[in-house]
Amino acid sequence: SQQGEEDPQALSIQEGENATMNCSYKTSINNLQWYRQNSGRGLVHLILIRSNEREKHSGRLRVTLDTSKKSSSLLITASRAADTASYFCATAYNTNAGKSTFGDGTTLTVKP
Amino acid sequence: ETGVTQTPRHLVMGMTNKKSLKCEQHLGHNAMYWYKQSAKKPLELMFVYNFKEQTENNSVPSRFSPECPNSSHLFLHLHTLQPEDSALYLCASSQGSSGGGHGELFFGEGSRLTVL
């Protein structure tokens, strides 16, 4: 299975601190995506990184991809209470990002 | 507001009922998806529609019946469900590219289904 596995399963930090979540996968991928889900809501796309890219930024988010280690990390800098959510990585083995396989997610709690 | 609207947001049904979930996307995308999110399990892809044609059925039981009348609307018809089918059902859409790939998913808020 190419399913991504997030680590840690749960993370609790203080507002202003950085949060780092990791994703590992088993097979070669075309792209990897990160999504955020607030409790009881739908998922929101954050960043898509392709297999030939090593790092992408979007605002306070930084995603890295190491295809040799089959792993990715999501860094949220200067976290806010509003960042409290579950974060999922999704891996696509072809160019259809919509057919990605999702991991179990990391639950992030940011305390004010 | 993601541009993908799901109704109803909550549904409670008995095992002998027939109900339908509806999804509408206002993004002009050409692919739509049904995902199932159960407690303690990863998000599971159920069905994929590309330009109204079903391109994937991930071994979903026949008690779930999808329908895609056009690129903007997607339904999931439910009948004789089991309590273990209780979950959050998420609809998503994506836009295909000229190279044949598809970009990221845009999700609706989900329909929380409880089967008694």
Side-chain angles (χ1 to χ4, degrees):
Chain A
S1 164
Q2 66 172 38
Q3 177 182 338
E5 296 181 4
E6 288 91 341
D7 169 60
Q9 287 189 329
L11 180 61
S12 181
I13 60 174
Q14 293 292 137
E15 208 166 27
E17 294 180 339
N18 295 342
T20 299
M21 288 158 270
N22 303 296
C23 171
S24 60
Y25 56 92
K26 295 184 173 66
T27 62
S28 296
I29 60 171
N30 175 277
N31 64 77
L32 183 147
Q33 311 127 60
W34 284 93
Y35 291 83
R36 183 188 77 230
Q37 183 180 33
N38 290 85
S39 181
R41 308 290 294 274
L43 281 74
V44 175
H45 177 259
L46 298 175
I47 289 183
L48 182 151
I49 187 165
R50 303 189 192 285
S51 59
N52 61 353
E53 298 174 308
R54 292 296 167 258
E55 188 170 311
K56 287 189 84 168
H57 297 255
S58 177
R60 293 182 296 111
L61 307 180
R62 177 183 150 222
V63 167
T64 61
L65 179 65
D66 187 334
T67 53
S68 66
K69 295 182 179 178
K70 292 186 171 59
S71 68
S72 173
S73 67
L74 170 66
L75 168 68
I76 304 175
T77 59
S79 63
R80 305 166 182 168
D83 294 328
T84 295
S86 292
Y87 291 82
F88 297 88
C89 70
T91 51
Y93 65 88
N94 60 25
T95 55
N96 187 347
K99 291 173 62 175
S100 295
T101 303
F102 284 77
D104 293 328
T106 292
T107 300
L108 172 67
T109 302
V110 181
K111 301 173 186 175
Chain B
E1 178 58 55
T2 63
V4 180
T5 304
Q6 288 188 243
T7 55
R9 292 292 310 280
H10 300 273
L11 179 62
V12 179
M13 59 187 289
M15 289 190 284
T16 58
N17 290 158
K18 288 185 181 181
K19 297 285 184 183
S20 296
L21 306 181
K22 178 183 176 182
C23 177
E24 182 176 359
Q25 58 99 358
H26 310 274
L27 301 168
H29 290 169
N30 49 29
M32 296 187 77
Y33 310 77
W34 279 116
Y35 277 87
K36 176 184 178 182
Q37 187 175 36
S38 307
K40 310 292 184 186
K41 292 177 69 175
L43 209 64
E44 300 172 68
L45 177 63
M46 299 175 72
F47 301 104
V48 181
Y49 278 82
N50 206 349
F51 289 103
K52 304 188 302 177
E53 300 298 321
Q54 186 179 122
T55 57
E56 187 144 339
N57 175 340
N58 266 359
S59 303
V60 181
S62 59
R63 57 185 184 270
F64 294 91
S65 175
E67 179 190 359
C68 189
N70 55 60
S71 294
S72 300
H73 294 84
L74 185 64
F75 297 87
L76 188 62
H77 303 299
L78 316 168
H79 62 99
T80 58
L81 295 191
Q82 305 298 313
E84 58 264 29
D85 296 323
S86 297
L88 182 67
Y89 289 85
L90 291 160
C91 173
S93 67
S94 69
Q95 180 59 42
S97 66
S98 57
H102 278 261
E104 66 273 18
L105 293 163
F106 290 76
F107 283 87
E109 297 285 26
S111 293
R112 172 70 61 188
L113 173 66
T114 302
V115 182
L116 301 177

